[in-house]
Amino acid sequence: MNRSLRVDCLLLAACFISWFTGGLGFYSSTPTVVDLSASTFKSQVLDNTDSQTQVWIVEFYAPWCGHCKNLAPAYKKVGDALEGTGVKVAAVDATKYETLAAKYGVQGFPTILLFGADKSKPTNYNGARSENAIAEAGLKELKKAVMQKLNPQKKKYSSSSSSSSSSSSYRDNSAVIDVDDNNFDERILDSPEMVRNKQEYMYCRYLT
């Protein structure tokens, strides 16, 4: 009787520990991987309350998922490696926050999303599940976010529009003559410098 009671107590303790650690979150013991809830996801990722963070790597996982368990060691290394870089690593328990997971179309586990400059349009990560590949994807997204921050008004021009004086990158540079098909003759062929060069050339030919 005592032995049976001891076994029951051990099983109960094991179940309690399993439930308790699961309730804390997959990465609760890893400070460099932020365990997000639905509310902290909005405040930290979407609203980006941390001005030092430009990019979020977010894994949606299920505690019972074998692939998620296999990914966890590498994902923790990503969090450690990217600490202080402007890229933060986070995780969401999709079984607890099903509405949030459904919002981003999470259908399998693990699903990793990259939230870059435009937090409303995350990128679905489909690369290798290794620390190097995930970290590289995060840094690549960081570079894009930084460049967009440096050039917020940057626009892409076609080859035809780039030749016009209104869109030329040289129009504010006095050392560079801005020409197009309409003013080439006036600015180049009929310019005082070109006329003078022609006269000097003809004069030299006359002397010879």
Side-chain angles (χ1 to χ4, degrees):
M1 183 68 180
N2 291 337
R3 183 177 180 182
S4 177
L5 180 61
R6 192 189 328 170
V7 171
D8 290 341
C9 289
L10 289 173
L11 289 174
L12 182 62
C15 290
F16 175 77
I17 292 172
S18 176
W19 171 83
F20 183 71
T21 54
L24 287 176
F26 221 46
Y27 300 97
S28 57
S29 61
T30 308
T32 55
V33 178
V34 183
D35 214 358
L36 296 170
S37 65
S39 59
T40 57
F41 179 89
K42 181 182 183 305
S43 63
Q44 295 189 48
V45 179
L46 299 183
D47 297 339
N48 200 26
T49 53
D50 183 3
S51 61
Q52 300 300 316
T53 303
Q54 303 296 325
V55 174
W56 283 84
I57 303 176
V58 181
E59 175 200 356
F60 288 84
Y61 69 91
W64 46 258
C65 171
H67 295 299
C68 300
K69 293 177 181 178
N70 292 335
L71 175 64
Y75 201 64
K76 290 176 182 178
K77 290 181 181 178
V78 175
D80 292 340
L82 295 180
E83 185 179 16
T85 63
V87 180
K88 273 199 173 179
V89 180
V92 175
D93 185 346
T95 63
K96 291 175 64 177
Y97 306 104
E98 295 180 355
T99 302
L100 180 61
K103 176 182 177 181
Y104 291 101
V106 176
Q107 297 180 343
F109 307 110
T111 293
I112 298 176
L113 300 179
L114 302 171
F115 291 81
D118 187 351
K119 299 296 187 294
S120 65
K121 296 179 181 179
T123 302
N124 199 334
Y125 174 77
N126 294 312
R129 292 175 181 173
S130 67
E131 56 267 32
N132 289 345
I134 297 173
E136 184 177 352
L139 291 173
K140 185 177 180 181
E141 198 68 30
L142 175 63
K143 181 180 179 180
K144 289 165 57 178
V146 170
M147 295 308 295
Q148 185 168 334
K149 196 171 183 179
L150 289 172
N151 305 283
Q153 303 300 325
K154 185 176 181 180
K155 297 180 180 179
K156 293 181 179 180
Y157 297 98
S158 64
S159 57
S160 59
S161 63
S162 63
S163 63
S164 66
S165 58
S166 61
S167 63
S168 173
S169 60
Y170 296 113
R171 64 176 178 269
D172 295 326
N173 190 338
S174 60
V176 180
I177 300 174
D178 193 15
V179 297
D180 56 25
D181 292 339
N182 298 322
N183 65 3
F184 183 83
D185 289 348
E186 176 186 355
R187 301 296 300 276
I188 302 298
L189 297 182
D190 298 332
S191 66
E193 292 84 358
M194 183 62 73
V195 171
R196 184 170 61 252
N197 289 338
K198 287 180 181 179
Q199 292 173 342
E200 291 176 354
Y201 173 75
M202 294 302 296
Y203 181 69
C204 291
R205 287 289 304 270
Y206 174 76
L207 294 178
T208 58

